[in-house]
Amino acid sequence: MKNKPVTVPEIQGRKAAAKKITALTACDFGFARLLDPTAIDIVLVGDSLGMVSLGYENTLPVTMDEMLAHARAVRRGITRALLVGDMPFMSYQVSLEEAVRNAGRFIQEAGASAVKLEGGQRAAETVNAIVRAGIPVMGHIGLTPQSVHQFGGYRVQGKNYLDARQICQDARHLEKAGAFSLVLEGIPADLAAEITAAVKIPTIGIGAGPACDGQILVLHDLLGLTDGFTPKFVKRYAELGALAKEAVGRYIDDVRSGAFPAREHCYQVERENWPIQRGENKGCGG
Ligand code: KIV
């Protein structure tokens, strides 16, 4: 029997039940199939796929069409977890109308159950317009990567008093606007704890400490598929990148040495009445 799909009210109920929410990103069908048999609650098709799948330097170049193509692929591999589509840069900032239309595309064209967008107080009206269209919205505050140029880099947010107060206000504005949950990214753990206690909707942390109602990571980071700088908040549960390189190296060695393909990798067919058996073979050209 298939497990029941995770719903938005179920995620909301986790806060009162004090049962931690688990969330991960996925960017294609293959990774979605890996996650599907696990107990993961939320699968986010995050715009971080721009960096881990598409090779962009940051998330800013990612378009709606790219996000929808990836979200559709993930949808085909996920049967149980709540699927959330991440609204890319410039898909919700220009007007409320565009924001609602683009949020609707994630639901209609990719089969997502909710969308996520970045921004606090200044995004509250947009969140509310999308919610009024019947689409659940996950907020995202703190270190919001689409504002990397405004921040001057990927820096922990809320370190000084005024910034911390603003992030608290952001959380309250999004809750009031109707967001069903909040991603808290790159903020001090005590600030995340304060916000988690202050709002009724669940908080999902990434680089925000243990007090959040749940945690999210980029799947590529968790699996050790990214190289270069690993942020402090990432725990690499495997080193699949190193394993993959080692496997490819062994394949290259085997092909070069003739060890692959071996007899067990070849089709052996019993042939009857072939000219070759009567010494009449004319070869491929004959
Ligand atoms: O794009 C993304 O992957 C995200 C999560 C890390 C929260 O926004």
Side-chain angles (χ1 to χ4, degrees):
M1 200 179 70
K2 276 197 169 170
N3 286 330
K4 262 183 37 213
V6 178
T7 62
V8 165
E10 186 182 338
I11 294 297
Q12 287 178 300
R14 288 291 187 79
K15 188 165 183 119
K19 186 171 175 209
K20 293 275 187 189
I21 298 162
T22 58
L24 282 170
T25 65
C27 57
D28 66 17
F29 177 72
F31 284 114
R33 286 283 297 256
L34 284 180
L35 290 182
D36 199 44
T38 72
I40 200 80
D41 297 313
I42 297 176
V43 171
L44 170 73
V45 184
D47 64 355
S48 58
L49 68 81
M51 295 156 90
V52 299
S53 297
L54 300 176
Y56 298 141
E57 199 179 319
N58 53 41
T59 57
L60 300 180
V62 181
T63 64
M64 265 308 288
D65 286 343
E66 286 169 336
M67 287 304 297
L68 288 172
H70 283 269
R72 279 193 292 266
V74 172
R75 171 75 288 166
R76 290 191 280 270
I78 293 291
T79 59
R80 194 194 52 82
L82 186 81
L83 187 68
V84 180
D86 202 6
M87 299 195 67
F89 183 57
M90 281 298 124
S91 69
Y92 57 94
Q93 290 90 341
V94 175
S95 69
L96 295 184
E97 195 181 311
E98 248 184 68
V100 174
R101 200 182 312 283
N102 283 324
R105 292 188 71 192
F106 273 105
I107 310 299
Q108 270 192 323
E109 297 176 34
S113 300
V115 297
K116 174 174 87 57
L117 60 86
E118 296 182 9
Q121 188 167 358
R122 67 183 179 188
E125 203 187 346
T126 306
V127 168
N128 188 250
I130 297 172
V131 171
R132 279 189 285 113
I135 301 169
V137 179
M138 177 182 274
H140 184 166
I141 55 176
L143 199 186
T144 44
Q146 290 174 15
S147 304
V148 59
H149 295 312
Q150 238 167 12
F151 295 146
Y154 297 102
R155 298 175 200 287
V156 174
Q157 298 297 300
K159 288 210 295 202
N160 70 51
Y161 181 75
L162 285 183
D163 286 350
R165 287 309 97 212
Q166 181 58 52
I167 295 170
C168 275
Q169 284 307 312
D170 287 340
R172 288 187 191 281
H173 278 282
L174 292 179
E175 177 177 38
K176 204 160 156 230
F180 76 95
S181 61
L182 280 181
V183 169
L184 305 182
E185 176 164 356
I187 60 173
D190 57 352
L191 177 58
E194 184 189 338
I195 294 170
T196 300
V199 296
K200 292 196 175 64
I201 53 177
T203 60
I204 301 174
I206 173 163
C212 298
D213 300 302
Q215 297 291 328
I216 185 164
L217 280 178
V218 173
L219 182 59
H220 281 61
D221 288 337
L222 175 152
L223 294 177
L225 285 169
T226 43
D227 40 29
F229 172 71
T230 300
K232 179 182 172 69
F233 60 80
V234 169
K235 180 167 174 183
R236 291 167 77 106
Y237 285 81
E239 289 299 335
L240 296 194
L243 269 182
K245 282 180 203 147
E246 197 259 332
V248 172
R250 284 195 289 121
Y251 164 73
I252 292 168
D253 290 347
D254 280 0
V255 171
R256 286 183 179 159
S257 71
F260 177 80
R263 194 174 165 77
E264 68 265 28
H265 306 118
C266 300
Y267 298 106
Q268 311 290 348
V269 180
E270 285 302 319
R271 304 197 193 281
E272 286 170 20
N273 297 325
W274 270 48
I276 194 168
Q277 288 171 320
R278 300 196 298 268
E280 297 163 8
N281 184 31
K282 293 199 176 89
C284 288

